[in-house]
Amino acid sequence: MILLRQKHLIAIDLDGTLLTDDKKISLTSKKMIVNLIEQGHIVVIATGRSNRMSILYYHELGLNTPLINSNGAVLHHPLDKKWGNYHTPLNYNTAIEIVEACYELNSKNVLAAVHDSVYLDQYDKNIAHFYGHQDDAGDKSFVVGRIKEKLKENPTLMLLYPDKNHVDTLTNTLNDLHAEIIDHRNWGEPFHIIEVMNKQMNKSEALKQVADYYQIPRERIIAFGDEGNDLEMIHYAGIGVAMGNAIDELKSLAKYVTDTNEEHGVASFLADYFKMNLSIAEPISKKQADNL
């Protein structure tokens, strides 16, 4: 690869990409990102997670850049409120129609997120645990009860949990209802979860806003991902990189395929692209160490 000295914008997905399977950022990846930031490159997280589920990693990397949450439906700067907070949610009435469709099919559960608040139709300890909710914590941002009654505003996104035999039926219903204004993705086996968002937004749309802000051209944008919610971002980036553990569709679309998330795939590609040393045994500066 050709080493380019110009400033790059590097967008990195979290789950299955930067994070290992135990949801951690490896020391190798941290070192690589800190080095690139010190060289003047811009690193942003672009994740399907909400702010509450990603801000820990943002601070762990010592970032001072905008954060792309909820697959692009939320774009904000955690450390600079003047930067703006962009929210492109689903229409409330549309959301209620979707909830009613789930009720008619006796879906196992329905979740609606409004920024960092979570509305869950029926309590599920696995879902609650994923969102960091504790039963005795008095977390008012986690509301359990019939969403049709509890939800009062436009949701950032929705997660639908149909019976596996009803996945196709619900997918077709979503297409019939509002194909022109909503986008939905089936998480597939073994989850049988359908994610629903405003069709106007995805990770690439949010990344374009970030790129415009920093005046970084498309050819100097590097993006990493592994799943269907990364397709638009990988296609948009001049340097789209699929992880070794990515779905086949993303690998076919990406310009490059790197190692898996368990093999420091993000750091490995960046080391190759920028001609850097990947070895974790290499001495680092005190400033770098303080950021790890």
Side-chain angles (χ1 to χ4, degrees):
M1 297 177 188
I2 299 173
L3 176 62
L4 299 179
R5 300 294 182 182
Q6 293 174 297
K7 182 184 295 185
H8 282 61
L9 172 59
I10 304 167
I12 311 175
D13 172 51
L14 287 178
D15 297 282
T17 301
L18 181 62
L19 302 184
T20 57
D21 290 345
D22 59 358
K23 307 303 179 186
K24 296 181 179 179
I25 303 174
S26 70
L27 178 61
T28 301
S29 297
K30 288 183 191 179
K31 278 188 57 183
M32 183 59 59
I33 290 171
V34 169
N35 269 298
L36 290 171
I37 292 172
E38 288 194 341
Q39 289 182 26
H41 299 291
I42 300 160
V43 177
V44 298
I45 289 173
T47 178
R49 291 177 176 233
S50 64
N51 178 76
R52 68 187 277 172
M53 299 299 294
S54 57
I55 194 65
L56 175 67
Y57 301 111
Y58 179 94
H59 291 311
E60 184 177 352
L61 292 171
L63 299 182
N64 186 16
T65 52
L67 176 57
I68 299 172
N69 288 125
S70 302
N71 292 326
V74 177
L75 173 61
H76 64 116
H77 195 310
L79 303 180
D80 184 3
K81 302 307 178 185
K82 295 180 181 179
W83 197 87
N85 191 321
Y86 303 92
H87 185 213
T88 310
L90 287 160
N91 175 271
Y92 173 79
N93 292 329
T94 300
I96 295 302
E97 287 187 47
I98 292 171
V99 171
E100 290 174 343
C102 290
Y103 286 168
E104 290 177 8
L105 289 172
N106 294 316
S107 293
K108 291 182 289 185
N109 220 332
V110 184
L111 180 150
V114 182
H115 289 287
D116 276 344
S117 295
V118 176
Y119 295 81
L120 186 62
D121 202 74
Q122 301 177 55
Y123 181 77
D124 182 297
K125 65 178 181 180
N126 292 324
I127 297 174
H129 176 73
F130 178 79
Y131 281 92
H133 173 67
Q134 301 294 330
D135 291 339
D136 58 350
D139 185 1
K140 295 182 180 180
S141 67
F142 195 94
V143 180
V144 178
R146 283 179 64 85
I147 287 183
K148 188 176 178 179
E149 300 168 2
K150 300 287 186 179
L151 184 65
K152 302 297 182 183
E153 54 188 310
N154 299 333
T156 304
L157 57 80
M158 300 179 70
L159 296 180
L160 317 180
Y161 299 78
D163 182 275
K164 66 179 181 179
N165 297 321
H166 292 157
V167 172
D168 290 341
T169 301
L170 184 54
T171 297
N172 292 333
T173 299
L174 293 173
N175 288 334
D176 292 339
L177 276 174
H178 296 291
E180 73 284 359
I181 60 174
I182 67 171
D183 186 24
H184 57 86
R185 305 174 191 273
N186 186 342
W187 288 13
E189 296 282 358
F191 303 105
H192 305 298
I193 299 171
I194 300 175
E195 182 177 54
V196 185
M197 290 182 55
N198 187 314
K199 198 166 189 173
Q200 293 180 354
M201 288 305 295
N202 52 57
K203 289 185 181 181
S204 73
E205 293 300 321
L207 185 57
K208 288 176 186 176
Q209 289 184 249
V210 176
D212 289 344
Y213 176 78
Y214 288 107
Q215 298 183 322
I216 303 294
R218 187 173 176 180
E219 61 267 22
R220 283 195 269 122
I221 299 175
I222 305 173
F224 295 89
D226 72 307
E227 279 291 347
N229 61 343
D230 298 308
L231 285 165
E232 294 89 352
M233 179 173 73
I234 296 301
H235 176 69
Y236 165 71
I239 307 156
V241 186
M243 305 301 293
N245 52 288
I247 60 174
D248 290 340
E249 185 179 2
L250 195 70
K251 288 181 178 179
S252 298
L253 178 69
K255 190 171 183 179
Y256 300 100
V257 178
T258 187
D259 297 329
T260 70
N261 63 316
E262 286 288 286
E263 300 168 321
H264 320 293
V266 170
S268 178
F269 179 87
L270 293 172
D272 190 16
Y273 186 85
F274 290 105
K275 304 300 181 186
M276 297 172 66
N277 193 331
L278 186 62
S279 172
I280 62 172
E282 181 185 5
I284 59 177
S285 68
K286 182 180 185 302
K287 182 177 181 181
Q288 290 173 321
D290 290 341
N291 284 324
L292 296 181

